[in-house]
Amino acid sequence: MTVYHAPIRDMSFVLYELIGAERMEKLPGNEETTRDLVEAILEEAAKFCGEVLLPINASGDHEGCKLENGVVRTPKGFKEAYDQFAEGGWTALGGNPEFGGQGLPHMVSTLVEEMICSTNLSFGMYPGLTHGAVRAIEAFGSDAQKRTYLPNMISGVWSGTMNLTEPQCGTDLGLIRTKAVPQDDGSYKISGTKIYISAGEHDLTDNIIHLVLARTPDAPAGIKGISLFIVPKFLVNEDGGLGNRNGVQVGSIEDKMGIKASSTCVMNYEEAEGYLIGDLHRGMRAMFMMMNAARFGVGMQGLGIAEASYQNAVAFTKDRLQGRSLSGAKYPDKPADPIIVHPDVRRTLMTMRAYTEGMRALSAWVAEGLDIAEKSPDPAERQEADDLVALLTPIVKAFMTDQGFELANHCVQLHGGHGFIKDYGVEQYVRDSRITLLYEGTNGIQALDLVGRKMGQNMGRLLRRFFHPVSQFIEENQEDMALAPYVMPLAKAFGRLQRATAHLAQQGLKDPEEAAAAATEYLRLFSLVTLAFMWAKTAKIALEKQDGDDTGFYKGKLTTATFYMERILPQASALFAQIMAGKETMMSFAEDEF
Amino acid sequence: MTVYHAPIRDMSFVLYELIGAERMEKLPGNEETTRDLVEAILEEAAKFCGEVLLPINASGDHEGCKLENGVVRTPKGFKEAYDQFAEGGWTALGGNPEFGGQGLPHMVSTLVEEMICSTNLSFGMYPGLTHGAVRAIEAFGSDAQKRTYLPNMISGVWSGTMNLTEPQCGTDLGLIRTKAVPQDDGSYKISGTKIYISAGEHDLTDNIIHLVLARTPDAPAGIKGISLFIVPKFLVNEDGGLGNRNGVQVGSIEDKMGIKASSTCVMNYEEAEGYLIGDLHRGMRAMFMMMNAARFGVGMQGLGIAEASYQNAVAFTKDRLQGRSLSGAKYPDKPADPIIVHPDVRRTLMTMRAYTEGMRALSAWVAEGLDIAEKSPDPAERQEADDLVALLTPIVKAFMTDQGFELANHCVQLHGGHGFIKDYGVEQYVRDSRITLLYEGTNGIQALDLVGRKMGQNMGRLLRRFFHPVSQFIEENQEDMALAPYVMPLAKAFGRLQRATAHLAQQGLKDPEEAAAAATEYLRLFSLVTLAFMWAKTAKIALEKQDGDDTGFYKGKLTTATFYMERILPQASALFAQIMAGKETMMSFAEDEF
């Protein structure tokens, strides 16, 4: 019952007007990524997502995954959809051309990811996890490992997983117990239990390549003793064909609140053959790389759900007739007006729109950073881009998933009682998106990453990658009266962010708990300023173009930018006060007083 | 896997220290409601809820209701639990003694309702709906109708329902199509379809008494032509025994996001025998009375879920070991510290605590108002109390359910990935509580009720019932330096509420859309001030008693009050700015530009 139309006009706007794809197009390897090509890809992706993935979203939720005799069966239609997906080249979109990938920039592949997440979050998990594993093998694997695994993973014939969590450890990976015992031939025997392994077992691909964190017998305690291993479900013969079944089995699959068509597995490793990837005891480094890519991907899930929620809320509120407009009947010939005439309904829709479009702009900016960090010939430029990505990754992950979930709830809310009924399909957005606030590091952990790690890193160098362009934009535009309604609120909120940053940096040096106590509110404040920057830049472009060809589009951008400044950004003042309040009220209780 | 311990200490605090039950005890009929009796009832209720309702909460969710051959089967254990519930006298708690009820005041029965909602929201729906129907029959039924229906409904042998919604109308009841054709014997033949009827059909009671909104053939159009009818599932013989099966059948039951053990029915009326209750064409009046009681009850559902969420979050965060305290290991002998040592975890717990205890205080205040409005011999006092209840009902409904849902999400969030897995039981709180924001008028409708109806009613008379005591409290305590950390923030936020009220009242006169555009934010601001008032009053008591017997309890109240003022109430400033921004940004789009 849900609808979806890929927001290609807005995608083009962020790509070719707001962020500007000129830099991306000039990067080595991107020479052929022309606007025509990109728009053709987006059109094709929109078609695939709307025609193949959307129709199996609700049925996939209803049916869920089934574990039968050690085999996980994905819901009806998933295997066929996946085959089409792989055959269509969608698994290879961003892959390295050396191993059969299409080498498209992140700025483009990210938009396709958004569409997949809007139409079928569960489905997107399978290629998404593979994508993370591919990146880790590419970055840390030996040449032989790359040749053995990457072509089939990029083509989608095989899939990949990340195996971190164990029953006793999620966030604190230092507690990992899975063992890796070295063998004479240089391989390892892996034994242990991993939980919450997405795509750990399924029927979509011929082989599954597990990346597994484990501890060698004489490794140092804690996270410094952890190494990363490749453990294929089927061993790979010299000729590249599939060999023996390895000692890894799915123990059970989880009964979850949502993403029911994504299999979440308990994986049992019993002397499974594994191969060290990267350096011994440096597994966390490789894992962090996968995690950062994964965190950006999870942020995109938030955006995908946000967009789907907005579209379905609009469709329903135009259709549902209840009551009359307070300013007089708008459709006197109908028994009632559609509820979109009501201010409170529109307030909700505008909130959804302002967040969604703002987040799309933000994610495009970060995707540009990913492209530059990977492909720029200039090391300084690479470093700068990498800094920005590192800084904004926890924001993309936490803020965009918080909002994805919140907007899914707005969509349900605008449906009234219908929102609670499965037939209407929108309660699934709430259930599916709930996991995005939890996995790949809970959003609280993202906030601690921002405050405890990214903020102080290299004497605040990462922060400057964001603070400088914002300062510069404000300085350049503060005299422009037409832009004042956008630049002034941005400047005010930005000032609060700067003061909060200075305060926490100083407090945190004396007492890290002071910074940690404000981490979540600080991440939210930072995020709101980030979106305010995106909206102010958008407004500048829209003011210039509003009298041109696509006047409705640009006027809409201006109204939405104003809405953001007036109705959303004021939260910054409250957050600032909360941040400055200190840790005392939350730390003064003894444990047993809770 | 979930835990629950009834918060009897805090319940006693709000009842006997904060709100003060003295007035309640002096009301006619409450003479025997002594503190000893009340505390004994609360202990018994806690036992029943913990031992009977909690164990069938998760299984009830898992199994759900089943429709088989026109009969709805509730999940395993529900019938037995319901029988125990009725035999224990719990259905009769607040019922009129004239018809077999125990006549306990709302201040007491409300706390029992909270416990039921904490342990089994679905179960609570069945007696909850009956309760609403009983109130309507008591208020508007003839003596004969009261004698026929009330005793069996109050004893729980029969249950009741409210039938408002139809496929084409939820909020806009003027669109109702169900017909009521008068018969020669004074009865009516009712025909039509009602949807989303909670407890419309089930196997818990011998009979189900439906209250149905319908339209007589020559009734005026719109809500002024709607009348209310009693339609029993089984007709009742002269002798009070059950007669023929009436023409009302369940058509289907809904597959929902949550409260799966509560049957939500499509009800088909085909020339069912019905009896007018109250005056012809005055059905909305009776329905509003049921709705107001129901809205208060739904607010209590929010509180119940909030309390359960807090308790389970505390239990999990004390148990789960991950990482080390930033101020040095707290449990060096364990592999890691429990996550409750972390400031961000405690910030979340304190947020949950501050809202939950604040909402309990608020609901007790409103319950006191319900008791006075019902039983006071002084008409002026009755009117005053009724005004306060009318004013605060949309706040109790919308704010307490918003927070119930938000706190359920906090509970899930503190569980990390486990929160998403059904085995842990807490994702059910999210799904179950989601409906509370929707039914009995969406929370947006509550906001419109507050701004569009309650605010201006009788020249602001309702508002004064809240504004006066708050002003008075601030005036009386503003010189007290020890209370300043509580009274000052209250005074500041209250000032904003007063200004926002004046602004919206003025704007609303010129253009109702201006008031409607700010309704949701205004309700939130109002709610935060209401809780700030509760917390300031609490702090005053706690300051006086903190050096006495129960020092930990009162010091905890002071810390939580400070947390509320520092970390939650600052939202008032943002809300004020949003309220003042006006309707332009949300109303300027044409419909097709969304």
Side-chain angles (χ1 to χ4, degrees):
Chain A
M1 295 258 318
T2 55
V3 296
Y4 179 70
H5 306 283
I8 291 181
R9 176 67 185 93
D10 197 52
M11 289 177 165
S12 284
F13 171 75
V14 297
L15 212 52
Y16 291 102
E17 301 175 66
L18 180 63
I19 304 303
E22 306 87 20
R23 274 174 90 183
M24 176 269 277
E25 285 170 355
K26 288 195 193 103
L27 293 171
N30 291 350
E31 295 80 2
E32 288 169 28
T33 314
T34 61
R35 183 164 184 167
D36 281 353
L37 176 68
V38 168
E39 289 182 346
I41 290 170
L42 294 181
E43 293 288 354
E44 270 309 302
K47 213 174 135 195
F48 184 86
C49 291
E51 291 175 7
V52 179
L53 299 186
L54 186 64
I56 56 172
N57 188 40
S59 58
D61 174 64
H62 187 74
E63 190 182 334
C65 289
K66 301 271 191 314
L67 174 61
E68 285 163 3
N69 305 320
V71 176
V72 173
R73 198 158 41 76
T74 55
K76 192 156 174 273
F78 270 61
K79 171 69 177 149
E80 293 74 10
Y82 183 83
D83 288 346
Q84 269 186 271
F85 188 78
E87 279 157 25
W90 298 110
T91 59
L93 217 56
N96 188 336
E98 203 184 321
F99 304 105
Q102 298 174 39
L104 279 172
H106 290 279
M107 282 185 88
V108 179
S109 60
T110 287
L111 296 173
V112 176
E113 273 176 51
E114 183 201 315
M115 295 184 200
I116 296 168
C117 296
S118 285
T119 46
N120 200 321
L121 205 62
S122 283
F123 180 91
M125 293 295 288
Y126 298 97
L129 268 293
T130 305
H131 195 63
V134 163
R135 284 179 64 84
I137 295 174
E138 211 180 323
F140 297 101
S142 65
D143 285 347
Q145 287 172 335
K146 290 184 202 178
R147 279 194 311 274
T148 305
Y149 299 105
L150 291 184
N152 278 329
M153 292 175 81
I154 288 173
S155 69
V157 176
W158 299 348
S159 64
T161 72
M162 288 166 61
N163 287 240
L164 291 74
T165 307
E166 300 182 4
Q168 78 290 353
C169 74
T171 298
D172 189 353
L173 292 171
L175 303 175
I176 277 176
R177 290 185 198 144
T178 296
K179 282 182 310 186
V181 181
Q183 306 296 304
D184 292 344
D185 64 355
S187 72
Y188 290 78
K189 290 286 185 210
I190 313 289
S191 300
T193 298
K194 296 286 182 179
I195 63 170
Y196 300 160
I197 306 308
S198 296
E201 179 61 43
H202 58 78
D203 56 3
L204 301 181
T205 58
D206 298 343
N207 201 3
I208 302 175
I209 311 304
H210 303 290
L211 294 189
V212 183
L213 284 187
R215 190 183 291 286
T216 48
D218 49 2
I223 60 163
K224 285 176 186 152
I226 289 169
S227 308
L228 184 64
F229 300 87
I230 298 179
V231 183
K233 174 179 169 184
F234 288 99
L235 299 177
V236 181
N237 294 333
E238 292 275 320
D239 64 359
L242 295 185
N244 289 338
R245 186 69 168 79
N246 204 352
V248 47
Q249 300 287 347
V250 55
S252 58
I253 59 174
E254 304 289 352
D255 188 7
K256 311 186 297 292
M257 183 185 192
I259 56 165
K260 288 171 189 263
S262 163
S263 73
T264 305
C265 305
V266 173
M267 300 301 294
N268 295 319
Y269 292 84
E270 287 175 42
E271 304 215 321
E273 189 166 318
Y275 319 107
L276 181 70
I277 171 168
D279 297 333
L280 195 65
H281 305 159
R282 297 294 297 278
M284 286 305 291
R285 201 168 131 249
M287 198 46 79
F288 263 118
M289 189 187 181
M290 282 168 72
M291 264 198 287
N292 277 329
R295 285 173 176 182
F296 181 76
V298 174
M300 294 309 295
Q301 295 185 325
L303 175 57
I305 291 287
E307 176 65 35
S309 298
Y310 174 71
Q311 290 192 23
N312 282 280
V314 168
F316 184 83
T317 56
K318 284 181 181 178
D319 188 58
R320 176 74 174 166
L321 308 181
Q322 293 290 283
R324 289 293 182 191
S325 164
L326 290 168
S327 58
K330 295 284 174 284
Y331 295 83
D333 52 321
K334 291 188 181 178
D337 287 337
I339 62 174
I340 198 170
V341 304
H342 301 300
D344 192 58
V345 168
R346 284 171 165 250
R347 184 191 54 79
T348 310
L349 292 176
M350 288 304 294
T351 302
M352 300 174 81
R353 186 178 174 128
Y355 278 124
T356 303
E357 293 179 8
M359 295 194 298
R360 184 172 296 117
L362 169 62
S363 63
W365 191 25
V366 177
E368 182 195 49
L370 286 168
D371 286 323
I372 296 169
E374 244 173 58
K375 294 182 177 169
S376 169
D378 176 358
E381 202 179 57
R382 281 206 304 274
Q383 182 65 61
E384 269 189 39
D386 198 51
D387 286 351
L388 183 75
V389 170
L391 178 70
L392 295 183
T393 294
I395 286 172
V396 165
K397 197 283 179 180
F399 180 69
M400 286 172 50
T401 58
D402 277 350
Q403 291 308 322
F405 181 68
E406 188 160 315
L407 270 50
N409 274 297
H410 286 330
C411 176
V412 164
Q413 195 64 23
L414 289 178
H415 277 69
H418 303 312
F420 198 63
I421 307 294
K422 298 221 165 209
D423 288 347
Y424 286 80
V426 296
E427 59 86 43
Q428 188 186 345
Y429 295 146
V430 173
R431 289 184 294 102
D432 281 358
S433 64
R434 190 63 191 80
I435 187 63
T436 63
L437 287 69
L438 297 167
Y439 59 18
E440 305 305 339
T442 65
N443 287 359
I445 290 295
Q446 305 300 321
L448 291 177
D449 179 46
L450 178 64
V451 165
R453 196 175 294 140
K454 304 296 170 60
M455 198 167 85
Q457 208 163 310
N458 297 96
M459 304 290 288
R461 193 184 75 202
L462 275 54
L463 280 175
R464 288 195 290 279
R465 303 302 177 218
F466 177 76
F467 282 14
H468 278 182
V470 178
S471 296
Q472 198 184 341
F473 179 85
I474 293 170
E475 215 165 282
E476 285 171 7
N477 294 288
Q478 60 191 355
E479 308 289 324
D480 184 337
M481 289 310 292
L483 262 181
Y486 314 101
V487 174
M488 299 273 287
L490 168 64
K492 199 170 159 192
F494 182 56
R496 288 195 167 109
L497 176 62
Q498 288 178 303
R499 276 186 288 156
T501 304
H503 175 78
L504 290 186
Q506 199 179 24
Q507 292 285 310
L509 284 180
K510 284 183 288 184
D511 178 0
E513 285 186 345
E514 281 290 355
T520 289
E521 285 125 333
Y522 179 76
L523 183 141
R524 178 58 62 96
L525 174 61
F526 206 134
S527 306
L528 290 174
V529 172
T530 308
L531 254 63
F533 181 42
M534 294 295 114
W535 274 117
K537 283 168 68 102
T538 296
K540 187 177 163 74
I541 296 165
L543 279 171
E544 284 159 11
K545 296 192 178 178
Q546 65 173 325
D547 298 322
D549 279 348
D550 200 357
T551 177
F553 179 82
Y554 295 107
K555 284 191 191 299
K557 284 288 185 193
L558 286 172
T559 303
T560 313
T562 307
F563 182 90
Y564 184 84
M565 300 299 169
E566 289 183 356
R567 289 272 174 173
I568 293 176
L569 193 57
Q571 291 172 52
S573 68
L575 291 164
F576 180 73
Q578 290 161 13
I579 289 166
M580 303 303 277
K583 75 168 191 178
E584 191 53 28
T585 51
M586 57 199 81
M587 301 312 286
S588 60
F589 277 115
E591 252 176 68
D592 58 10
E593 291 178 296
F594 277 98
Chain B
M1 293 258 320
T2 54
V3 295
Y4 179 70
H5 306 284
I8 292 181
R9 176 67 185 94
D10 197 51
M11 289 176 165
S12 284
F13 171 76
V14 297
L15 212 51
Y16 291 102
E17 301 175 65
L18 180 64
I19 303 304
E22 305 88 22
R23 274 175 90 182
M24 176 269 279
E25 285 170 355
K26 288 195 195 105
L27 293 172
N30 291 351
E31 296 79 5
E32 288 168 29
T33 314
T34 62
R35 183 162 183 169
D36 280 354
L37 176 70
V38 168
E39 288 181 348
I41 290 171
L42 294 181
E43 293 288 352
E44 270 310 301
K47 214 174 135 197
F48 184 86
C49 291
E51 291 176 7
V52 180
L53 299 187
L54 186 64
I56 56 171
N57 188 40
S59 59
D61 173 64
H62 187 73
E63 192 182 333
C65 289
K66 301 270 191 311
L67 174 61
E68 283 163 4
N69 305 321
V71 176
V72 172
R73 197 158 42 74
T74 55
K76 194 158 172 274
F78 270 61
K79 171 69 176 149
E80 293 76 8
Y82 183 82
D83 288 346
Q84 269 187 269
F85 188 78
E87 281 157 24
W90 298 109
T91 58
L93 216 55
N96 189 336
E98 203 183 323
F99 303 105
Q102 299 174 37
L104 279 172
H106 290 279
M107 282 186 88
V108 179
S109 61
T110 287
L111 296 173
V112 176
E113 273 177 50
E114 182 201 317
M115 294 185 200
I116 297 168
C117 296
S118 286
T119 46
N120 200 319
L121 205 62
S122 283
F123 181 91
M125 294 294 288
Y126 298 98
L129 268 294
T130 305
H131 195 64
V134 163
R135 285 178 63 83
I137 295 174
E138 210 180 323
F140 299 100
S142 64
D143 286 345
Q145 287 173 335
K146 289 184 203 177
R147 278 194 312 274
T148 305
Y149 300 105
L150 291 183
N152 280 328
M153 292 176 82
I154 288 174
S155 70
V157 176
W158 298 349
S159 65
T161 71
M162 288 166 61
N163 288 241
L164 292 74
T165 308
E166 300 183 4
Q168 78 290 351
C169 75
T171 298
D172 189 353
L173 293 171
L175 303 175
I176 278 177
R177 289 186 198 143
T178 296
K179 283 183 307 184
V181 181
Q183 307 296 305
D184 292 343
D185 64 357
S187 71
Y188 291 78
K189 291 283 183 211
I190 313 288
S191 301
T193 298
K194 296 285 181 178
I195 63 169
Y196 300 161
I197 306 309
S198 296
E201 179 61 45
H202 57 78
D203 56 4
L204 302 182
T205 57
D206 298 343
N207 200 3
I208 302 175
I209 310 305
H210 303 289
L211 294 190
V212 183
L213 284 187
R215 190 183 292 285
T216 48
D218 49 2
I223 59 164
K224 285 177 186 151
I226 289 169
S227 309
L228 184 64
F229 299 87
I230 298 178
V231 184
K233 175 179 168 184
F234 289 98
L235 299 178
V236 181
N237 295 334
E238 291 275 320
D239 63 0
L242 296 185
N244 288 340
R245 185 71 168 78
N246 205 353
V248 46
Q249 300 286 348
V250 53
S252 58
I253 58 174
E254 303 290 351
D255 188 8
K256 311 187 297 294
M257 184 186 192
I259 55 164
K260 289 171 189 262
S262 163
S263 74
T264 306
C265 306
V266 173
M267 301 302 295
N268 296 319
Y269 292 84
E270 287 175 43
E271 305 215 323
E273 188 166 319
Y275 319 105
L276 180 69
I277 171 168
D279 297 333
L280 195 65
H281 305 159
R282 298 294 296 278
M284 287 306 290
R285 200 167 131 249
M287 199 45 80
F288 262 118
M289 188 187 183
M290 284 169 72
M291 264 198 287
N292 277 330
R295 284 173 179 183
F296 181 76
V298 174
M300 293 310 295
Q301 295 185 326
L303 174 57
I305 291 287
E307 176 65 36
S309 298
Y310 174 70
Q311 290 192 23
N312 282 279
V314 168
F316 184 83
T317 56
K318 283 182 179 176
D319 188 59
R320 177 74 174 166
L321 308 180
Q322 294 288 282
R324 289 293 181 190
S325 163
L326 290 168
S327 58
K330 294 285 174 284
Y331 295 83
D333 51 321
K334 290 189 181 176
D337 287 338
I339 63 174
I340 199 170
V341 304
H342 300 298
D344 192 57
V345 169
R346 284 171 165 250
R347 183 192 54 79
T348 310
L349 292 176
M350 288 303 295
T351 302
M352 298 173 82
R353 185 178 175 127
Y355 278 124
T356 303
E357 294 179 6
M359 295 193 300
R360 184 172 297 117
L362 169 62
S363 63
W365 190 26
V366 178
E368 182 195 49
L370 287 168
D371 286 324
I372 297 169
E374 244 174 59
K375 294 181 179 171
S376 170
D378 175 0
E381 202 180 58
R382 282 205 305 273
Q383 182 66 61
E384 270 190 37
D386 198 52
D387 285 352
L388 183 75
V389 170
L391 178 69
L392 295 183
T393 294
I395 287 172
V396 165
K397 197 284 179 179
F399 180 70
M400 287 174 50
T401 58
D402 276 350
Q403 290 308 320
F405 180 69
E406 188 160 314
L407 270 49
N409 274 296
H410 286 330
C411 177
V412 163
Q413 194 65 22
L414 289 178
H415 277 69
H418 303 311
F420 198 63
I421 307 296
K422 300 222 165 208
D423 288 348
Y424 286 81
V426 296
E427 59 85 43
Q428 188 186 344
Y429 295 147
V430 173
R431 290 184 293 103
D432 280 357
S433 65
R434 190 63 191 79
I435 186 63
T436 63
L437 286 70
L438 297 166
Y439 59 18
E440 305 305 338
T442 65
N443 287 359
I445 290 295
Q446 305 300 322
L448 291 177
D449 178 46
L450 178 65
V451 166
R453 194 174 296 142
K454 305 295 170 64
M455 198 167 87
Q457 208 162 309
N458 296 94
M459 305 290 288
R461 192 184 74 201
L462 275 53
L463 281 176
R464 289 194 291 277
R465 303 302 176 218
F466 177 76
F467 283 12
H468 279 182
V470 178
S471 297
Q472 197 183 343
F473 179 85
I474 293 170
E475 215 165 282
E476 284 170 6
N477 294 288
Q478 61 192 354
E479 308 289 323
D480 183 340
M481 289 311 291
L483 261 181
Y486 314 100
V487 174
M488 299 273 289
L490 168 65
K492 199 170 157 191
F494 182 56
R496 288 195 167 108
L497 177 63
Q498 288 177 304
R499 275 185 289 155
T501 304
H503 175 78
L504 289 186
Q506 200 180 24
Q507 292 286 311
L509 284 180
K510 285 183 287 184
D511 178 0
E513 284 187 345
E514 282 290 353
T520 289
E521 285 124 334
Y522 179 76
L523 183 142
R524 178 58 62 95
L525 174 61
F526 206 134
S527 306
L528 290 174
V529 171
T530 309
L531 255 63
F533 182 41
M534 293 296 114
W535 275 116
K537 283 167 70 99
T538 296
K540 187 178 164 76
I541 297 165
L543 279 172
E544 285 158 13
K545 296 193 179 177
Q546 65 173 327
D547 299 322
D549 279 348
D550 200 358
T551 177
F553 179 81
Y554 295 106
K555 284 190 191 299
K557 284 287 185 195
L558 286 172
T559 303
T560 313
T562 307
F563 182 91
Y564 184 84
M565 300 299 169
E566 289 184 358
R567 289 270 174 175
I568 293 176
L569 193 57
Q571 292 171 52
S573 67
L575 292 163
F576 181 72
Q578 290 160 14
I579 288 166
M580 303 303 278
K583 75 167 192 178
E584 190 54 28
T585 51
M586 56 199 84
M587 300 311 288
S588 59
F589 276 113
E591 252 176 67
D592 59 9
E593 290 176 295
F594 276 98

